[in-house]
Amino acid sequence: YGPGTFLPTLEEDKLSFPNLFLFNHQIYFFIKYFFYIIIQIFFLNKIFDLFEIKNKFFIFYTIFSISNFNYIYSDDWHTIFSYSIFFPIFYYILSFIKFKKPKDYFFFIFFASYQLANGHFGNISLHYILIFLFIILQRESFFFTKSYFYLGILIFFCICFNKLYFLTFQHLQF
């Protein structure tokens, strides 16, 4: 908690694979950033395959971008988590809109709720606004008539209820 506030100033990734290596900080940070970079490479490659882009040199620029180095060099550990998980979220929403498979929608819900439960809400809110605008600009509304859409929304709120309740309660105190 920060000075004079009940809101936490640092979010942590509580359910992350590299947390198994907390006993050694050097191994922990190496595996953590290596794991996040692998997530970025894997899902950016899948996004390129979805659009049938053959020149994948842009993956190199994304991985060695200033934002990635900033997250690694500074103490923005929760931000690199939110940034890395955005790649699978964006891939699964693209795949869901293109192929209309419920499996892709539930993977999108899983990664979005995982990001919200463990990431920094300030960064995540910008990701969600971008995804919301992307869906609106696609002019796809086939999923509103499907029952799995509402089941996914319910699952999302059940997984993230604790964090949403905490943020709402703290907001109402100010």
Side-chain angles (χ1 to χ4, degrees):
Y1 297 105
T5 182
F6 292 108
L7 291 173
T9 56
L10 178 65
E11 302 289 330
E12 67 275 354
D13 45 345
K14 299 175 269 304
L15 302 172
S16 182
F17 160 72
N19 289 350
L20 298 172
F21 300 96
L22 274 172
F23 59 88
N24 187 336
H25 293 291
Q26 291 175 336
I27 293 174
Y28 169 73
F29 286 115
F30 176 76
I31 290 176
K32 181 176 186 169
Y33 292 121
F34 183 73
F35 181 64
Y36 292 153
I37 287 172
I38 292 297
I39 289 174
Q40 292 173 21
I41 291 171
F42 180 75
F43 282 102
L44 194 57
N45 191 21
K46 289 181 87 159
I47 290 171
F48 280 18
D49 290 342
L50 198 64
F51 288 114
E52 299 174 0
I53 299 173
K54 302 296 181 209
N55 185 6
K56 297 184 181 179
F57 196 68
F58 183 70
I59 294 174
F60 177 78
Y61 288 127
T62 303
I63 301 309
F64 294 105
S65 66
I66 293 175
S67 59
N68 257 354
F69 282 124
N70 180 42
Y71 300 149
I72 292 170
Y73 184 69
S74 67
D75 62 351
D76 285 341
W77 304 316
H78 52 280
T79 307
I80 192 169
F81 170 78
S82 302
Y83 177 73
S84 297
I85 296 297
F86 181 71
F87 288 93
I89 289 172
F90 197 62
Y91 167 73
Y92 282 116
I93 198 65
L94 286 171
S95 180
F96 174 64
I97 289 173
K98 185 172 183 177
F99 300 118
K100 299 173 178 45
K101 290 191 222 171
K103 180 184 79 165
D104 293 333
Y105 174 70
F106 284 111
F107 275 121
F108 163 72
I109 291 295
F110 168 75
F111 281 110
S113 59
Y114 184 64
Q115 184 189 38
L116 182 61
N118 292 313
H120 188 272
F121 190 72
N123 295 337
I124 294 168
S125 60
L126 295 175
H127 295 169
Y128 290 163
I129 290 170
L130 175 69
I131 290 170
F132 180 72
L133 289 174
F134 179 77
I135 292 171
I136 288 174
L137 293 175
Q138 292 295 315
R139 297 183 182 159
E140 293 283 343
S141 61
F142 67 91
F143 49 86
F144 288 122
T145 60
K146 306 292 184 185
S147 61
Y148 63 80
F149 172 74
Y150 300 104
L151 177 65
I153 297 294
L154 180 67
I155 290 170
F156 177 81
F157 281 114
C158 286
I159 291 172
C160 299
F161 178 76
N162 186 28
K163 184 154 187 174
L164 294 173
Y165 174 77
F166 176 74
L167 290 172
T168 304
F169 181 74
Q170 291 300 318
H171 177 72
L172 291 176
Q173 284 190 342
F174 293 105

